[in-house]
Structures are given as structure tokens and as C-alpha cells.
């Protein structure tokens, strides 16, 4: 049975701001899903609407077999962990963990049993008598986790709880969360700006842009088969290189993606997936070409263009360079290259991404490399960029003060 269902859930604020638009989602029991997106993408709003801290403008929210759309937060069987969850400074660790159970008038025996289990799971047994001021940052966050799990809710909502921690502590707390979710067999919805957090912890990722769901799938499928240019951009580090305003041309029997003197020959696997190829070849219709930095490299001879190395940076043990050509610039793998070097750039074009220049939707069909998950969400197609912008314009509410001025 699904543990969470959203049916066309929207949130429009009185100011006219569209924070969430017709969100549909279905989570299985004990699933860990991450929600990612940029600033003002709607991640926190999505969680707050599910929790009942924000009222949905339309749609239905179902937790387990209960429609909780109009239910009070306390009646939704949900625990929410925020950024920098605050502990009660006057209470020790035990009482902080037990606080929610005491509010619900649980028996002392049940409180003691659940606090004991949560403390053991999170390694807090030896500090139950300490006050928050005597705790490390890691211990404080673990207490916040413990306070949520003692209630044994049906659903856990986590709003980027690892923000602000250094890399080492963040890595450690990631492991804590993954192990906690497996131990509690709870359903976790984890909203974050960190793509690395999402990829390392979640079995599926929901990508949001300005309140609209772009794609829901496994990290690998999102990386290899993005439904639009935004998903391609947000999944991956360094981010994908885009060639905007390219055209598909055919010359002497070969098909190319061309822009500013650069021509990239479409390999057979890309042409086979390009189901509407005839609509683009030599028609002047614009496309967006995506090339991931890890699929590009510098070479001594050949390649498709020459460029000047502007800067270099090591990311995850790999040296990448910002390379500036006469018209186009790319980030590429560049072992042995230094700032100021003139290099040639080559790419594995079998991993090329191609999107329509107006809708920004992918023009490449999935092939046998796509791993099906069985989730209906994976078959959902996003709206085109132009359609999304039209919806936002149509739904925009003019504030009362502005109406008076007009």
C-alpha cells in the first residue's frame, strides 16, 4: 500500500505567487525519496503542505489510507525535521526526545521504552542527562532525529536538516539517516539543495522547478535520461555544458548539431533515439545540446574545437578546466593541463543530450539502457518550458494594492 499520495496538489499564495502546481506523487511504504531544486523551487512548501503547516489551494493529500487534506498537523501521523531543529535548552536529552510523546499523553512506560530504543539506535544512551548546551552539533542533530522517531509516525519529512554542517560531519549524518531509515522502516521525504545528499541517500529523486515537478526517477535514470534541460542541469557535478541555439543539419549524408562553426556528428545511437529527427534536419529549428564535462576531455590532436584553458579545479579527484573557444566555452576533464594552455577538445558524443530550443524537453527517446522502476511517476512527462511560463502568467493574482493603482 502506498504510504503517501498527492493528487493534483497546488499552493498559490494570496500574493499570487505559485509555489506548487498540480503535484502528483505516490510513495511506497519504507521508501526514501529526495526532493531537489534551486531557490524558490517549492521544496519546503511541498513538505509544509504535506505536513499541514500550509493549506493546499487544491488537491488531495493521502497518508496511508486516510485523506488528511484538511486535517490538523497533529492528526496526520507525520514527523517533520527542519533545518537547525531547535532543542529546548531547559530540558535534558531524555526530556527533549520524550517531549512529543508527553504532549500526546503517552504512558511513562511507553515513553521510557521508545526513548531507550531511539537513544540506542542513534548512540545517545550515555548523554541522556545532558542539557543541549553541553552537546556537539552532531549530537544535537541526532537528538532532533530521535525526537521525531520516538513517535513512530507513518511518514517523516526532512527539510534539509544537514544544512550548515561541514563536509565531514555532513557525510557522517548522511550515514546516520540512511541507517535510521532502514532500521525504522519509515517512509522518508528529504528536501535538499544538495544533489550529492540526494544521490547518496535516496532511491528516487523528485526534481522541482518553481513549484512544478519536472521528473521523478532514480538518480541514474535522471542522469542518463533527463526529461528536460533543467533536470540535466541540476543532476551532475560539474553541471552539464549546454550549446544553446544549435541547429540540426545534414551534409553529405552525415547529420550534425551545429553552432558557431562547431559541428558535432550525431552517432548512430543518438540518431536512433531522435524520433522526430526529420522535423529538425535543415529546418532551422533550434535545439539545446548537452555535453557532460565527464564525457569531454582535452586531446593533443583532433577534437572538434580548440580553446584556451581559463581556470582549472579538482572535483572528486578529477581535474577539470574551463576552456574558452572563440564562440563557445566548456568545462572538460583536463589532466595535465594548466591555466593558459591552448588545447583541443574532444567528446564522447554517444552520451550527447538534445532538447528542443523552445520547450526544453528532451528529443531523445529512452533506449534499452533505461532501467524501469515500476513506478508510474517515472512515465510522467513534464510540461514544456513555454507551457509552464504560460500557466504561471495565467494563474498570477494581482495583489489588491496593485489593483487600486490600476
Amino acid at each position: 500500500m502506498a504510504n503517501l499520495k498527492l493528487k493534483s496538489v497546488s499552493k498559490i499564495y494570496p500574493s499570487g505567487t505559485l509555489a506548487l502546481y498540480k503535484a502528483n506523487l505516490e510513495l511506497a511504504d519504507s521508501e526514501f525519496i529526495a526532493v531537489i531544486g534551486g531557490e524558490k523551487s517549492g521544496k519546503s512548501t511541498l513538505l509544509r503542505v504535506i505536513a499541514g503547516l500550509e493549506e493546499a489551494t487544491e488537491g488531495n493529500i493521502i497518508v496511508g489510507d486516510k485523506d488528511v487534506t484538511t486535517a490538523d498537523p497533529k492528526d496526520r501521523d507525520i514527523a517533520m525535521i527542519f533545518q537547525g531543529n531547535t532543542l529546548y535548552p531547559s530540558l535534558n536529552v531524555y526530556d527533549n526526545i520524550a517531549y512529543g510523546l508527553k504532549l500526546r499523553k503517552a504512558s511513562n512506560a511507553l515513553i521510557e521504552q521508545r526513548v531507550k530504543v531511539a537513544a540506542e539506535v542513534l548512540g545517545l544512551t550515555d548523554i541522556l542527562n545532558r542539557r543541549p548546551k553541553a552537546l556537539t552539533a552532531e549530537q544535537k542533530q541526532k537528538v532532533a532525529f530521535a525526537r521525531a522517531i520516538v513517535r513512530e509516525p507513518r511518514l517523516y519529512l526532512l527539510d534539509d536538516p544537514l544544512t550548515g554542517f561541514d563536509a565531514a560531519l555532513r557525510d557522517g549524518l548522511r550515514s546516520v539517516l540512511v541507517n535510521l531509515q532502514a532500521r525504522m522502516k519509515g517512509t522518508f521525504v528529504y528536501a535538499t539543495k544538495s544533489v550529492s545528499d540526494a544521490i547518496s541517500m535516496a532511491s528516487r529523486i523528485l526534481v522541482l522547478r518553481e513549484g512544478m515537478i519536472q521528473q521523478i526517477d532514480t538518480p541514474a535514470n535522471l542522469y542518463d535520461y533527463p526529461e528536460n534541460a533543467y533536470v540535466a542541469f541540476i543532476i551532475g557535478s560539474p553541471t552539464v555544458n549546454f550549446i544553446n541555439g544549435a541547429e540540426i543539419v545534414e551534409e553529405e549524408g552525415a547529420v550534425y548539431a551545429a553552432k558557431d562553426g562547431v559541428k558535432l556528428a550525431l552517432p548512430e545511437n543518438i540518431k536512433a533515439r531522435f524520433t522526430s529527427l526529420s522535423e529538425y534536419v535543415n529546418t532551422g529549428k533550434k535545439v539545446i545540446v548537452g555535453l557532460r564535462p565527464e564525457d569531454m576531455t582535452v586531446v593533443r590532436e583532433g577534437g572538434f574545437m580548440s580553446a584556451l584553458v581559463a581556470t582549472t579545479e579538482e572535483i572528486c579527484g578529477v581535474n577539470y578546466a574551463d576552456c574558452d573557444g572563440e564562440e563557445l566555452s566548456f568545462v572538460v576533464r583536463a589532466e595535465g593541463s594548466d591555466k593558459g594552455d591552448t588545447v583541443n577538445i574532444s567528446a564522447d558524443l554517444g552520451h550527447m543530450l538534445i532538447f528542443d530550443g523552445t520547450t526544453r524537453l528532451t528529443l531523445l527517446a529512452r533506449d534499452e539502457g533505461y532501467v524501469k522502476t515500476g513506478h508510474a511517476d517515472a512515465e510522467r512527462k513534464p510540461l514544456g518550458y513555454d507551457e509552464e511560463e504560460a500557466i504561471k502568467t495565467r494563474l498570477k493574482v494581482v495583489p489588491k494594492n496593485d489593483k487600486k493603482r490600476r
Side-chain angles (χ1 to χ4, degrees):
M1 181 177 69
N3 212 20
L4 172 68
K5 284 185 182 180
L6 302 184
K7 297 182 177 180
S8 296
V9 174
S10 296
K11 176 63 180 179
I12 304 174
Y13 289 103
S15 65
T17 300
L18 175 64
L20 202 61
Y21 181 73
K22 294 190 180 299
N24 290 286
L25 174 66
E26 186 167 322
L27 298 190
D29 232 352
S30 304
E31 187 173 2
F32 195 135
I33 190 169
V35 181
I36 64 173
E39 293 294 330
K40 298 182 180 180
S41 62
K43 302 185 298 295
S44 294
T45 300
L46 175 63
L47 265 59
R48 292 177 66 83
V49 167
I50 294 171
L53 302 177
E54 299 270 6
E55 182 180 354
T57 305
E58 64 177 359
N60 296 91
I61 303 162
I62 300 168
V63 178
D65 56 0
K66 181 180 179 182
D67 190 320
V68 300
T69 309
T70 59
D72 289 338
K74 63 182 178 61
D75 298 324
R76 298 195 178 202
D77 199 16
I78 291 171
M80 189 161 182
I81 302 172
F82 298 94
Q83 299 174 15
N85 253 46
T86 304
L87 304 180
Y88 298 102
S90 62
L91 302 181
N92 63 20
V93 170
Y94 181 99
D95 290 331
N96 263 288
I97 296 173
Y99 188 80
L101 291 176
K102 290 180 178 179
L103 283 181
R104 289 167 174 76
K105 302 187 184 305
S107 68
N108 289 335
L110 178 63
I111 291 173
E112 184 174 355
Q113 184 263 330
R114 289 194 179 178
V115 171
K116 179 181 178 181
V117 171
E120 288 177 352
V121 170
L122 288 162
L124 301 172
T125 303
D126 294 337
I127 61 170
L128 288 175
N129 291 321
R130 293 184 190 175
R131 298 289 175 90
K133 66 180 181 180
L135 304 180
T136 66
E138 180 178 13
Q139 289 169 335
K140 288 178 182 178
Q141 193 61 60
K142 286 183 177 181
V143 174
F145 295 159
R147 189 167 58 188
I149 69 173
V150 291
R151 287 177 42 211
E152 297 185 3
R154 184 179 291 272
L155 182 65
Y156 297 83
L157 307 177
L158 301 96
D159 191 2
D160 218 354
L162 306 187
T163 291
F165 294 116
D166 62 42
L169 183 51
R170 193 178 186 108
D171 287 344
L173 286 171
R174 279 181 189 164
S175 298
V176 168
L177 274 176
V178 171
N179 293 332
L180 183 63
Q181 191 265 343
R183 177 80 176 263
M184 302 305 296
K185 299 188 184 304
T187 302
F188 279 38
V189 183
Y190 185 97
T192 180
K193 295 187 290 291
S194 170
V195 177
S196 58
D197 277 4
I199 290 174
S200 63
M201 293 193 292
S203 56
R204 288 197 296 157
I205 297 175
L206 182 158
V207 181
L208 269 177
R209 189 187 79 88
E210 296 183 11
M212 298 187 181
I213 295 178
Q214 306 297 302
Q215 192 171 352
I216 308 171
D217 215 326
T218 65
N221 285 340
L222 292 175
Y223 179 88
D224 290 324
Y225 301 91
E227 285 294 328
N228 60 29
Y230 182 77
V231 175
F233 170 79
I234 205 165
I235 300 293
S237 179
T239 56
V240 65
N241 296 297
F242 284 130
I243 304 175
N244 294 298
E247 295 182 13
I248 304 299
V249 298
E250 184 174 11
E251 298 176 359
E252 299 179 354
V255 180
Y256 301 89
K259 171 73 182 292
D260 292 331
V262 169
K263 293 197 302 183
L264 305 173
L266 271 58
E268 290 303 317
N269 70 311
I270 296 299
K271 288 192 290 184
R273 295 174 57 200
F274 201 143
T275 55
S276 56
L277 183 60
S278 61
E279 298 176 18
Y280 289 83
V281 172
N282 297 334
T283 64
K285 293 181 69 172
K286 304 298 183 182
V287 300
I288 302 169
V289 175
L291 298 171
R292 295 200 180 275
E294 50 271 34
D295 293 326
M296 305 180 73
T297 188
V298 299
V299 292
R300 292 185 178 181
E301 297 180 357
F304 62 84
M305 65 174 278
S306 63
L308 182 71
V309 176
T311 61
T312 62
E313 181 182 5
E314 185 176 300
I315 301 175
C316 298
V318 179
N319 191 55
Y320 287 93
D322 285 297
C323 298
D324 297 331
E326 289 186 7
E327 300 291 341
L328 300 173
S329 297
F330 298 98
V331 177
V332 306
R333 288 186 296 111
E335 296 299 331
S337 296
D338 297 310
K339 180 178 179 179
D341 289 351
T342 298
V343 297
N344 290 337
I345 298 176
S346 179
D348 179 354
L349 300 180
H351 293 156
M352 180 190 299
L353 304 171
I354 306 177
F355 309 95
D356 179 82
T358 301
T359 67
R360 304 185 187 179
L361 297 175
T362 184
L363 295 172
L364 304 181
R366 296 168 178 171
D367 60 13
E368 64 278 0
Y370 180 82
V371 180
K372 294 184 178 180
T373 63
H375 292 279
D377 294 328
E379 301 303 321
R380 176 188 175 279
K381 301 298 181 183
L383 297 172
Y385 177 81
D386 51 337
E387 294 175 294
E388 290 186 346
E389 293 302 302
I391 288 170
K392 285 187 288 186
T393 299
R394 174 171 58 82
L395 294 179
K396 182 70 175 177
V397 177
V398 179
K400 292 180 180 179
N401 290 340
D402 285 353
K403 288 180 179 179
K404 289 179 182 179
R405 284 195 292 269
R406 294 182 185 186

